[in-house]
Amino acid sequence: QYNIPQISTGDMLRDSIKEGSKLGVEVKNIVATGSLVPDDIIIALVKNRLTAKDCRDGFLFDGFPRTIPQAEAIAAADISIEFVIEIAVSDEEIVSRLSGRRVHQGSGRTYHLIHNPPERPGKDDPTGEELIQRDDDREDTVRNRLSVYHQQTKPLIEFYKERASRLGGPTCCQVDGLGSLEDVRRQIEGVLDND
């Protein structure tokens, strides 16, 4: 809708792992355990991505920054953040959503055991090939990621609120992530369109 790219560090890391690049090999075990990839690697990835032509008119960070040092590095690089939107969902709902996810490796098609099940259990609809559960979607990994989130990422909410009160921006808000995808999208658009 806004003609800007979505920049997901998780997607970039998964692509690196899939490609078997030097970075992919380096971060594969870190991602599989649910730990955070070191800030210097993530910051370098993001800075490099922001040099692409499609970022000229803006971009959407998805799941970045995840730590205060990452947020400080973005600010130090004079990368402007206009909005910070927290999509609020309970820990148990997150565990259910992520641990129920299944993926077709060849195409990247995603299913969910409850919310978007395949026609045949464990099989990709178009090909009939096996679906997998990614290591970072296993319940124990998701719970570890939530623990890391509460320790390292949740403090970003206060970081940006303090920055907004001191510097006049970014606009910070929370939306309810438990509604339908359309409901959540409308809430986010309401924030972006009414500022």
Side-chain angles (χ1 to χ4, degrees), residues 3-71:
N3 295 314
I4 58 174
Q6 171 191 351
I7 299 175
S8 166
T9 54
D11 288 346
M12 289 191 297
L13 291 170
R14 280 187 286 277
D15 288 347
S16 295
I17 292 168
K18 190 175 181 179
E19 293 165 3
S21 69
K22 182 180 175 188
L23 173 65
V25 171
E26 187 177 344
V27 300
K28 183 176 183 177
N29 290 332
I30 297 170
V31 171
T33 63
S35 299
L36 289 181
V37 174
D39 288 338
D40 58 332
I41 293 174
I42 295 296
I43 292 163
L45 258 178
V46 170
K47 283 182 178 179
N48 183 58
R49 175 64 180 91
L50 293 179
T51 63
K53 289 179 184 178
D54 66 342
C55 293
R56 264 191 305 228
D57 296 325
F59 48 85
L60 168 70
F61 282 143
D62 176 1
F64 177 84
R66 289 186 189 246
T67 66
I68 288 176
Q70 288 176 2

Side-chain angles (χ1 to χ4, degrees), residues 74-125:
I74 291 300
D78 289 326
I79 297 168
S80 177
I81 304 292
E82 295 179 58
F83 297 93
V84 174
I85 301 174
E86 176 191 9
I87 302 173
V89 179
S90 73
D91 285 3
E92 289 311 308
E93 180 65 18
I94 290 170
V95 170
S96 171
R97 287 181 183 186
L98 295 181
S99 64
R101 193 161 49 187
R102 298 297 183 269
V103 177
H104 177 250
Q105 273 189 300
S107 67
R109 275 185 293 279
T110 304
Y111 299 85
H112 192 277
L113 298 178
I114 298 167
H115 305 294
N116 181 32
E119 294 169 2
R120 292 180 299 152
K123 304 288 183 185
D124 179 51
D125 290 347

Side-chain angles (χ1 to χ4, degrees), residues 132-144:
I132 63 153
Q133 182 180 39
R134 295 186 316 209
D135 287 343
D136 56 337
D137 287 340
R138 289 190 343 255
E139 183 174 343
D140 59 328
T141 303
V142 173
R143 290 195 184 279
N144 186 53

Side-chain angles (χ1 to χ4, degrees), residues 161-178:
K161 284 180 180 176
E162 186 278 327
R163 189 171 175 82
S165 69
R166 188 169 40 86
L167 301 175
T171 298
C172 300
C173 71
Q174 181 185 79
V175 299
D176 181 1
L178 288 180

